[in-house]
Amino acid sequence: MAIRSFFLFILFFSSSLSPVFSLYEDQVGLMDWHQQYIGKVKQAVFSSQRAGRKRVVVSTEENVIASLDLRHGEIFWRHLLGADDVIDGIDIGLGKYVITLSSGGSILRSWNLPDGQMVWESSLQGPKHSKSFLLVPTNLKFDKDNLLVVFSNGRLHAISCIDGEVLWKKDFEAESFEVQQVILPPGSDLIHVVGFAALSQFEMYQINAKNGELLKHESASFSSGFSGQVSLVSTETVVALDSTGSILLTISFQDGKISSQQTPISNLVEDSLGPAVIIPSSVSGIFAIKTDAVTIFIRVIGKGNLEVVEKTTHEIAVSDALSISEDQQAFALIQHASSEIHLTVKLAHDWDGNLLKESVKMDRQRGLVHKVFINNYIRTDRSYGFRVLIVMEDHSLLLLQQGEIVWSREDGLASIIDVTTSELPVERDGVSVAKVEHNLFEWLKGHMLKLKGTLMLASPEDMAAIQSMRLKSSEKSKMTRDHNGFRKLLIVLTRAGKLFALHTGDGRIVWSYLLRSLHKSEACQSPIGLNLYQWQVPHHHAMDENPSVLVVSRCGPSSDTSGVLSFVDTYTGKELSSLSLDHAVVQVIPLPYTDSTEQRLHLLIDADKHAHLYPKTSGALSIFKREFSNIYWYSVEDQNGIIKGHALKCKCTGEVADEFCFDTRDLWSVVFPSESEKTIATVTRKLNEVVHTQAKVVADQDVMYKYISRNLLFVATVAPKGSGEIGSVTPEESWLVAYLIDTVTGRILHRVTHHGSQGPVHAVFSENWVVYHYFNLRAHRYEMSVIEIYDQSRADNKDVWKLVLGKHNLTSPISLFSRPEVITKSQSYFFTHSLKAIAVTSTAKGITSKQLLLGTIGDQVLALDKRFLDPRRTVNPTQLEKEEGIIPLTESLPIIPQSYVTHALRVEGLRGIITVPAKLESTTLVFAHGVDLFFTQLAPSRTYDSLTEDFSYALLLITIVALVAAIFVTWRLSERKELQEKWSFYSAFASQSTFSSLHFSDN
Amino acid sequence: MAFSCKNSSKFNGFSSCIKMVMVGTSTIMMQQRTLAMEASLCVKKSKKKGADSVTRPNSQISAAMAAVTPLLLLLLLSSAPSFSSGSRNAYNINGRVKIPQGLGTKGYALPGRMSNVKVLLNGGQNITFLRPDGYFSFHNIPAGTHLIEVSAIGYFFSPVRVDVSARNPGKVQAALTENRKGLSELVLEPLREEQYYEIREPFSIMSLLKSPMGLMVGFMLAVAFLMPKLVENMDPEEMRRAQEEMRSQGVPSLSSLLPGGARN
């Protein structure tokens, strides 16, 4: 008996636990795509290797260091450092090591240039925080070893380039000393460290590069003080601005003697310009200052004589200097002119002569040039050619050479803020965009090839042909809506303030638009994009309108700066309109109502707790007034640990009175005791989630009713001590409390404390359950818990007769103000990995079972069946429960490698996972974004409503043909046999009729 | 099992200790008394050298030592009652990731080339990479219990619980959290390989037969060839009776079902 049940168990287990998401290796790229990015480039260093492929090494604002192919812009290798490990400087040492300084100058790493393997890592400490500098001198030798000079944290280090050993170090401990420049004059063994002390003191230290010995220390006092950065104009001269920003100080320290000269800016330019700032550059003899409107280039002649060489009101970008020969330095300058950019390459000592002057057509959607990096090469005729790498306002990276854009990378996509989707146009006459279907013969040929593949008869060439045919299926990249709803547009908003529309079929950029409203302007100093909302989704009576999205942004980092709304057409990528609001945007509430043109109503809450209705039309207002008393929302104040519920009160009173503005009132508030609890996570259900059935039939024919409410909020709080990193707190002084709060009444429906646990908490809420991930300090493992909430008031609706006679309360209206009788069930499991994001699959009608999508710390996305997080799991489920599909309880959740949605890929720097239902009920679309982008289709319960991609139509055809042939053959045979039988019967009848009749009568 | 998270264990005996102290004196001015004490500590350490077990290639000893020495000095000094420092509760964790030869044949990470392996402390608070020989280190970690995770495509690593003790400076305890196995040294090995793709079954007659089309053909064949056999094996009398019945009901034969059979 035991053996039998064990066998049954194994049978069940093997059938139920087989991963639902699984992929054959040759299916990679069929339904998924993966794009690799690096982010906005901060610094670029060109590899000067003569042989081999040309590379450029870049560091970015996403903390990526990468080696790019200079020919095509592809990534050779790439490393994403930690979030706090901001890169301060990169350089190439000895021609084969990439040196990076990061974490505020405290970590120095060396990477092998060809393959990106880390060679060594050094930790640099120092007495105090300071600016950091990384210098890789080419001529400073020390026992056959090149020296690196690093200034960080108030300490100067000399480090071996080969193994990262610190050879000597020197502290600059003077309290107020602020380093401004570290200078290595070429051809000498001296290091100059210059900086300011006590606001008005200029200090210069001269240090022996061989042993770190202090040779000289000079200081001079400037009564007017300093402001901003200094610019180095030669190895012994710096230029600084005084504290008012109107006088230029030229300070030289030749031979250790400090001498200076003051030049008011007004002496150089006639009209007064207001305070200026120095633009840091490394071009010798020239520096630039910038005021609000004007950029001025100034040349330093001799000892402190200044001369204006150019004054421009255009937006301008300057590269660092590039030594092209012993005494010549070149630099690149880019100026904007309407739809073109002008690139000029000049020699440092000769401003008027241009080495190169080119104009390049530039897409306006890329904005301004932010950074320029110059590199030279030797042409076939032995003259110098120049190529420049430019970083644009939208964070894209372009290589210009010979007046053309050689390649470009859309690296703005590495920093996505928000994602939404949009349908594609319906296929109509004249709308079709993709090429026409290929003819029947090709279709048959393709399927014959596939059949060959299935029967293992295909040659390698055939296999390659099959693979490319599958990948390049024109079907998936068409620009029209498809029957299954697989083809959509992903609208993404990036940190640069650019909108991209990506096609879900192949991930290509359909259009991109640099939001004009996110441009810096007088009124809006530092605009930042916040969120994307679906503004208009035409499907019923506004079919002719194009769908549009709403981009909410605001003018500054703090939440009380005024907001900006933009409306963008998702078919064309054009901005329909934009609104500069006179109020702030603290919260945006999309309401579940649409007006006559299918525009969704949105409620914007400002800093003074007024609610503003958009769109501002009378139609919207009348709909809104009808639902006036049914609108509730909540707000979370993280600092004070308060959650408040709000409702609308009346029209605005006071100075901002307009029809669309409403006063609000506080309904309830939940205050967490600040000494014991700190809110770290709040999660609600997705607004557009569809629940198919409210009832859940359990094994013993019992029914449980899910408590489904859109107004449930999950809140997790931790002990204030335990809100830090893992390892900073002991289990005894840390706890985590999970709440389920009704956001209409403020009622706490459920509360559970996990002792000895801490954050970070990642949670997802769907239907009637919430799953959250946290750290258990006692077991020192991550845990995931599930809470399911059921409605008890309906639990007695089990009697069929009651249902038939209508004596049930299923149709009675539900009010959240009546006290709900709910029961909760919960269970916890161990989980191996840290999480970065969590999401749940969503399908069109909510019938398909759910999978959790876990973004792990290794930047992979794991699909985990919700069945593993079922509070009804027990160690020994009964036979009935097994039949229902309950999995025996295990201590930890399984990690099945085949259920990694991202298979063998990484979504580097994973930040978010978005799921969108397809029209086909079985399928959900998954988009994961971080530094990389990844998209795929998932079928959590397999594709039960469509044929799989590898379904062989040819085999079906052949079978049908074979069956028809067999029918004809058997018909022939049968006919012949019948004829024969008839002949034999008649002949036998004729000869033996009497005998047989006798024989029968005998019996 | 405890082991040292400092590199001191590998240094050979007294001479290296002296050297360390000398480096130390050049950076931090120190009293003679504490100097002597530290030297004696070093001697003690070198005697039970075998017990401690973090290993490091020789070429990097000096580099690491230079970086670590001032720290180590502070750690050792913390036992002296007269000394107190704000930065003394910062430690280093050194370890090694080892992917056994023989594994890694699937092409995700070739043995020896581990540039895509990341080591993460406390859920991504610190991230570091491997040196060519598989060693890694975290710098300036406060005392406490930490979690180290290894992210490598193609391998499953268990997270490791690491206790950095403040009372017993430099001692680190480690245990795999998946199976609660203690580690005698911080050498992390994958628990298993991860195979992300289903293996495509090679073509076989069985799989073809099991497909819906195969079943259709099989059923038809069975009907065409086995049914007559069954009919043959029936009792002739019963068959006759059945035939009679059929004739009386006028059940058409196969040939008469088809259009061609109509002429009979």
Side-chain angles (χ1 to χ4, degrees):
Chain A
M1 184 61 207
I3 290 171
R4 214 189 92 198
S5 65
F6 177 70
F7 182 72
L8 262 172
F9 163 70
I10 290 286
L11 201 76
F12 172 72
F13 213 72
S14 58
S15 65
S16 67
L17 289 195
S18 63
V20 176
F21 178 85
S22 52
L23 204 66
Y24 297 109
E25 196 158 1
D26 52 41
Q27 288 176 325
V28 170
L30 222 52
M31 286 183 299
D32 55 68
W33 47 264
H34 180 233
Q35 294 176 355
Q36 294 187 313
Y37 293 103
I38 52 176
K40 186 184 184 183
V41 170
K42 271 205 293 205
Q43 206 184 344
V45 182
F46 294 86
S47 155
S48 54
Q49 261 177 332
R50 289 276 167 270
R53 287 188 284 187
K54 294 263 183 272
R55 297 153 190 270
V56 56
V57 180
V58 295
S59 71
T60 74
E61 288 180 358
E62 296 289 329
N63 296 349
V64 171
I65 50 162
S67 163
L68 305 178
D69 185 346
L70 208 48
R71 290 250 158 74
H72 310 288
E74 284 147 11
I75 298 170
F76 280 131
W77 55 262
R78 171 182 69 153
H79 291 291
L80 178 66
L81 307 186
D84 302 333
D85 208 1
V86 179
I87 302 164
D88 303 306
I90 57 167
D91 212 332
I92 294 178
L94 290 174
K96 56 184 178 182
Y97 299 118
V98 178
I99 315 289
T100 62
L101 183 68
S102 60
S103 271
S106 59
I107 297 178
L108 188 70
R109 294 191 179 98
S110 164
W111 314 82
N112 198 6
L113 181 59
D115 61 359
Q117 168 76 52
M118 191 176 83
V119 184
W120 51 258
E121 179 186 54
S122 285
S123 166
L124 307 175
Q125 304 304 321
K128 61 170 189 181
H129 187 76
S130 77
K131 277 191 190 177
S132 8
F133 297 92
L134 168 68
L135 298 153
V136 182
T138 47
N139 54 347
L140 212 55
K141 288 273 194 300
F142 190 85
D143 291 348
K144 289 188 242 164
D145 188 357
N146 260 40
L147 273 190
L148 308 173
V149 178
V150 176
F151 191 98
S152 70
N153 293 320
R155 186 177 283 176
L156 185 69
H157 308 258
I159 293 156
S160 154
C161 194
I162 289 168
D163 55 6
E165 191 182 345
V166 178
L167 300 171
W168 55 259
K169 56 194 167 220
K170 169 93 186 76
D171 279 8
F172 291 83
E173 287 188 71
E175 258 313 297
S176 57
F177 179 72
E178 268 180 55
V179 67
Q180 292 294 337
Q181 282 288 346
V182 178
I183 307 150
L184 281 167
S188 78
D189 284 348
L190 297 174
I191 300 172
H192 291 151
V193 179
V194 298
F196 306 141
L199 296 171
S200 60
Q201 195 88 1
F202 180 83
E203 307 260 345
M204 193 280 289
Y205 296 87
Q206 201 175 61
I207 285 155
N208 186 344
K210 292 263 183 241
N211 50 20
E213 200 182 329
L214 179 65
L215 298 175
K216 229 175 240 174
H217 175 205
E218 295 282 327
S219 66
S221 149
F222 292 86
S223 54
S224 53
F226 303 100
S227 71
Q229 288 179 295
V230 299
S231 183
L232 195 66
V233 288
S234 76
T235 55
E236 286 166 332
T237 315
V238 294
V239 176
L241 272 167
D242 78 337
S243 52
T244 60
S246 59
I247 298 172
L248 285 166
L249 306 167
T250 319
I251 306 161
S252 67
F253 38 92
Q254 219 158 15
D255 310 322
K257 296 273 183 305
I258 297 177
S259 59
S260 71
Q261 199 157 12
Q262 302 195 355
T263 321
I265 296 178
S266 52
N267 284 11
L268 298 170
V269 244
E270 294 78 41
D271 39 340
S272 72
L273 300 157
V277 285
I278 287 185
I279 301 173
S281 97
S282 71
V283 186
S284 73
I286 288 171
F287 67 97
I289 55 171
K290 191 176 186 320
T291 63
D292 283 342
V294 193
T295 311
I296 304 162
F297 288 89
I298 299 167
R299 177 156 50 191
V300 183
I301 306 158
K303 256 193 171 184
N305 293 321
L306 304 182
E307 181 194 48
V308 174
V309 286
E310 188 158 335
K311 202 170 94 176
T312 174
T313 51
H314 288 290
E315 285 292 338
I316 205 158
V318 195
S319 76
D320 278 354
L322 170 83
S323 306
I324 48 173
S325 64
E326 280 289 303
D327 53 348
Q328 279 189 319
Q329 279 190 329
F331 66 98
L333 200 79
I334 287 188
Q335 291 188 35
H336 276 270
S338 60
S339 66
E340 295 192 317
I341 56 167
H342 300 300
L343 165 71
T344 40
V345 177
K346 294 174 192 288
L347 284 175
H349 58 265
D350 178 20
W351 182 270
D352 301 316
N354 291 335
L355 281 179
L356 182 78
K357 197 167 167 65
E358 284 168 354
S359 293
V360 183
K361 266 226 165 345
M362 188 58 66
D363 183 3
R364 281 207 183 189
Q365 302 305 335
R366 294 196 188 277
L368 305 173
V369 175
H370 275 189
K371 282 202 166 90
V372 190
F373 304 98
I374 184 168
N375 179 229
N376 64 339
Y377 59 93
I378 296 168
R379 292 212 193 99
T380 40
D381 59 351
R382 303 215 158 195
S383 64
Y384 282 110
F386 294 94
R387 51 169 96 89
V388 294
L389 200 61
I390 57 174
V391 183
M392 306 297 291
E393 192 178 359
D394 68 343
H395 298 184
S396 59
L397 184 69
L398 295 93
L399 184 81
L400 307 183
Q401 193 172 332
Q402 292 171 344
E404 273 177 54
I405 299 171
V406 182
W407 51 260
S408 64
R409 294 181 55 87
E410 292 291 348
D411 279 307
L413 287 170
S415 48
I416 289 176
I417 297 174
D418 203 1
V419 185
T420 188
T421 55
S422 164
E423 293 291 341
L424 282 159
V426 184
E427 193 155 10
R428 260 178 270 163
D429 293 336
V431 178
S432 173
V433 182
K435 63 179 197 287
V436 193
E437 291 293 319
H438 38 234
N439 58 35
L440 183 73
F441 175 69
E442 269 179 44
W443 182 84
L444 260 181
K445 205 169 87 178
H447 277 291
M448 282 312 288
L449 263 176
K450 254 192 204 174
L451 181 72
K452 260 170 121 183
T454 334
L455 300 175
M456 302 280 158
L457 298 170
S459 62
E461 294 92 74
D462 287 349
M463 291 302 276
I466 295 169
Q467 192 65 10
S468 70
M469 198 173 61
R470 291 162 83 186
L471 293 179
K472 273 194 304 219
S473 150
S474 66
E475 190 64 26
K476 69 175 185 183
S477 56
K478 262 186 175 178
M479 276 300 294
T480 52
R481 219 173 279 188
D482 66 333
H483 187 65
N484 293 332
F486 293 162
R487 294 198 297 258
K488 281 181 199 300
L489 285 179
L490 290 166
I491 314 289
V492 300
L493 175 65
T494 66
R495 199 170 295 149
K498 196 173 186 181
L499 273 183
F500 288 91
L502 305 176
H503 196 288
T504 56
D506 51 5
R508 71 175 188 277
I509 296 166
V510 178
W511 53 260
S512 63
Y513 179 74
L514 190 67
L515 285 166
R516 225 173 301 132
S517 55
L518 285 175
H519 259 304
K520 208 162 135 182
S521 65
E522 286 284 311
C524 212
Q525 277 304 320
S526 53
I528 44 171
L530 293 178
N531 286 105
L532 269 177
Y533 297 93
Q534 289 185 342
W535 178 251
Q536 196 177 17
V537 187
H539 59 280
H540 283 312
H541 31 267
M543 270 319 245
D544 295 332
E545 305 251 357
N546 288 357
S548 55
V549 290
L550 164 69
V551 186
V552 180
S553 44
R554 70 175 165 228
C555 286
S558 81
S559 65
D560 52 358
T561 49
S562 60
V564 182
L565 304 183
S566 326
F567 305 93
V568 179
D569 185 329
T570 62
Y571 287 177
T572 59
K574 296 278 178 296
E575 189 164 359
L576 300 170
S577 62
S578 79
L579 279 175
S580 280
L581 309 181
D582 48 5
H583 57 83
V585 181
V586 176
Q587 213 176 345
V588 181
I589 303 161
L591 299 172
Y593 318 113
T594 53
D595 69 1
S596 56
T597 54
E598 296 281 333
Q599 288 184 344
R600 183 170 290 272
L601 271 58
H602 285 72
L603 207 55
L604 271 60
I605 315 293
D606 68 10
D608 304 324
K609 294 195 175 162
H610 291 299
H612 302 265
L613 176 71
Y614 291 89
K616 291 194 169 185
T617 58
S618 55
L621 195 63
S622 66
I623 296 168
F624 185 70
K625 283 205 169 134
R626 212 160 45 223
E627 304 289 344
F628 193 77
S629 57
N630 288 334
I631 294 166
Y632 299 92
W633 70 96
Y634 70 94
S635 61
V636 183
E637 291 172 31
D638 275 338
Q639 278 80 33
N640 312 329
I642 301 174
I643 297 176
K644 278 185 182 161
H646 310 273
L648 296 163
K649 198 161 81 184
C650 57
K651 283 236 172 78
C652 273
T653 48
E655 72 280 13
V656 281
D658 78 81
E659 261 192 300
F660 301 95
C661 167
F662 300 90
D663 276 344
T664 64
R665 62 198 161 110
D666 290 358
L667 288 177
W668 51 266
S669 60
V670 175
V671 183
F672 298 108
S674 61
E675 68 276 8
S676 64
E677 291 183 36
K678 183 177 186 299
T679 352
I680 53 165
T682 52
V683 180
T684 53
R685 274 179 61 193
K686 259 207 252 175
L687 267 177
N688 53 358
E689 192 187 54
V690 185
V691 180
H692 180 249
T693 172
Q694 207 193 354
K696 184 173 174 183
V697 181
V698 294
D700 46 352
Q701 306 300 312
D702 212 348
V703 182
M704 292 174 86
Y705 290 92
K706 299 172 186 171
Y707 184 78
I708 291 166
S709 160
R710 292 208 182 282
N711 303 304
L712 273 185
L713 172 70
F714 168 82
V715 181
T717 64
V718 288
K721 264 191 168 178
S723 56
E725 308 287 352
I726 293 165
S728 61
V729 68
T730 59
E732 287 72 32
E733 49 191 16
S734 180
W735 53 85
L736 184 139
V737 193
Y739 295 89
L740 286 179
I741 298 174
D742 188 313
T743 57
V744 174
T745 59
R747 188 173 287 138
I748 294 174
L749 296 174
H750 183 65
R751 177 182 192 273
V752 61
T753 309
H754 299 273
H755 288 285
S757 295
Q758 72 166 157
V761 170
H762 295 275
V764 63
F765 207 135
S766 171
E767 295 197 355
N768 66 326
W769 51 264
V770 59
V771 168
Y772 52 104
H773 176 272
Y774 54 92
F775 192 70
N776 181 338
L777 282 162
R778 282 187 214 280
H780 218 77
R781 294 175 78 171
Y782 284 98
E783 257 182 25
M784 277 171 91
S785 281
V786 57
I787 301 176
E788 290 191 355
I789 179 160
Y790 291 97
D791 192 348
Q792 266 311 88
S793 60
R794 294 162 174 243
D796 46 344
N797 288 325
K798 286 168 202 155
D799 198 340
V800 181
W801 286 110
K802 268 192 183 172
L803 288 175
V804 171
L805 298 172
K807 284 188 177 173
H808 57 84
N809 59 355
L810 287 181
T811 48
S812 61
I814 305 167
S815 170
L816 291 164
F817 290 107
S818 63
R819 189 174 179 81
E821 294 169 53
V822 293
I823 54 160
T824 53
K825 289 167 178 275
S826 61
Q827 212 167 51
S828 301
Y829 321 86
F830 287 127
F831 185 72
T832 308
H833 299 299
S834 304
L835 288 194
K836 286 184 159 181
I838 184 168
V840 66
T841 57
S842 56
T843 52
K845 298 203 169 52
I847 301 168
T848 310
S849 64
K850 304 241 175 210
Q851 276 185 336
L852 291 166
L853 300 174
L854 311 172
T856 65
I857 191 78
D859 295 324
Q860 290 171 290
V861 179
L862 178 73
L864 186 69
D865 251 27
K866 169 66 179 59
R867 288 190 300 149
F868 287 108
L869 289 130
D870 185 342
R872 293 173 56 236
R873 280 174 74 182
T874 50
V875 180
N876 290 309
T878 62
Q879 196 59 39
L880 279 171
E881 283 176 329
K882 271 185 213 162
E883 276 169 21
E884 194 199 326
I886 288 192
I887 303 160
L889 182 62
T890 46
E891 186 192 52
S892 55
L893 296 169
I895 291 175
I896 304 157
Q898 283 92 341
S899 53
Y900 276 109
V901 175
T902 48
H903 41 95
L905 299 170
R906 262 184 185 158
V907 188
E908 207 72 62
L910 182 69
R911 269 189 293 259
I913 304 168
I914 284 106
T915 59
V916 185
K919 254 186 223 157
L920 202 64
E921 169 55 27
S922 68
T923 312
T924 173
L925 311 177
V926 178
F927 179 59
H929 63 90
V931 173
D932 289 355
L933 309 182
F934 181 81
F935 175 87
T936 191
Q937 294 171 14
L938 274 192
S941 313
R942 291 181 192 270
T943 46
Y944 53 80
D945 49 5
S946 68
L947 293 173
T948 54
E949 180 271 331
D950 49 356
F951 181 82
S952 175
Y953 288 93
L955 196 58
L956 178 71
L957 274 182
I958 287 175
T959 313
I960 290 170
V961 168
L963 281 175
V964 169
I967 284 169
F968 273 92
V969 168
T970 44
W971 168 48
R972 270 277 132 115
L973 287 174
S974 148
E975 209 175 34
R976 191 181 293 169
K977 201 176 176 190
E978 209 168 326
L979 193 66
Q980 266 175 3
E981 257 174 28
K982 275 178 185 164
W983 273 115
S984 62
F985 182 74
Y986 283 123
S987 58
F989 187 74
S991 60
Q992 294 181 341
S993 60
T994 42
F995 169 70
S996 63
S997 67
L998 276 175
H999 179 78
F1000 272 100
S1001 61
D1002 278 356
N1003 273 336
Chain B
M1 176 63 202
F3 62 90
S4 165
C5 70
K6 293 286 154 289
N7 310 315
S8 56
S9 55
K10 179 75 190 221
F11 303 154
N12 296 326
F14 193 74
S15 61
S16 67
C17 282
I18 288 296
K19 190 179 164 198
M20 280 158 54
V21 172
M22 297 315 260
V23 176
T25 39
S26 69
T27 54
I28 300 171
M29 296 313 286
M30 196 166 37
Q31 294 159 3
Q32 203 61 42
R33 194 172 60 85
T34 44
L35 231 175
M37 204 185 79
E38 194 192 351
S40 68
L41 265 171
C42 281
V43 175
K44 244 192 237 166
K45 267 225 154 100
S46 63
K47 273 181 187 163
K48 51 162 193 163
K49 190 175 69 175
D52 297 340
S53 51
V54 168
T55 52
R56 256 176 167 288
N58 277 320
S59 65
Q60 287 183 343
I61 286 178
S62 50
M65 194 181 76
V68 155
T69 304
L71 258 169
L72 183 85
L73 212 64
L74 288 171
L75 297 185
L76 291 170
L77 280 173
S78 63
S79 58
S82 62
F83 192 89
S84 71
S85 160
S87 65
R88 69 171 181 197
N89 52 355
Y91 305 88
N92 287 0
I93 300 174
N94 298 315
R96 185 176 185 191
V97 173
K98 216 163 144 184
I99 294 175
Q101 300 283 325
L103 288 179
T105 45
K106 300 292 186 291
Y108 301 120
L110 299 166
R113 194 188 123 85
M114 299 192 280
S115 62
N116 285 324
V117 179
K118 275 185 201 175
V119 188
L120 306 110
L121 185 79
N122 293 344
Q125 177 196 347
N126 290 29
I127 297 176
T128 192
F129 301 86
L130 300 185
R131 297 194 186 94
D133 48 10
Y135 284 91
F136 66 88
S137 42
F138 290 106
H139 307 282
N140 292 320
I141 306 303
T145 308
H146 301 279
L147 190 75
I148 290 179
E149 288 169 273
V150 180
S151 148
I153 290 286
Y155 300 98
F156 178 82
F157 281 87
S158 164
V160 182
R161 171 201 175 118
V162 177
D163 292 296
V164 179
S165 153
R167 227 172 279 153
N168 199 354
K171 293 285 180 194
V172 169
Q173 282 193 315
L176 297 180
T177 62
E178 280 293 284
N179 47 20
R180 300 195 179 86
K181 210 177 93 187
L183 288 181
S184 59
E185 46 186 338
L186 203 52
V187 174
L188 313 178
E189 292 188 24
L191 287 190
R192 56 174 185 264
E193 260 184 277
E194 286 193 328
Q195 185 65 50
Y196 299 114
Y197 301 109
E198 295 281 299
I199 309 288
R200 216 179 251 291
E201 302 263 318
F203 172 73
S204 71
I205 289 296
M206 273 318 283
S207 73
L208 196 67
L209 289 184
K210 270 196 241 167
S211 71
M213 274 80 81
L215 288 176
M216 246 157 82
V217 172
F219 180 74
M220 211 201 75
L221 287 176
V223 170
F225 293 104
L226 291 182
M227 280 299 275
K229 284 272 186 303
L230 281 175
V231 172
E232 267 174 30
N233 290 344
M234 272 167 76
D235 188 25
E237 199 176 319
E238 248 173 74
M239 192 163 89
R240 193 66 54 110
R241 206 175 294 158
Q243 272 180 348
E244 288 291 322
E245 254 172 53
M246 269 164 71
R247 217 160 282 165
S248 63
Q249 281 170 9
V251 175
S253 71
L254 179 66
S255 57
S256 62
L257 264 176
L258 290 160
R263 49 183 185 198
N264 285 11

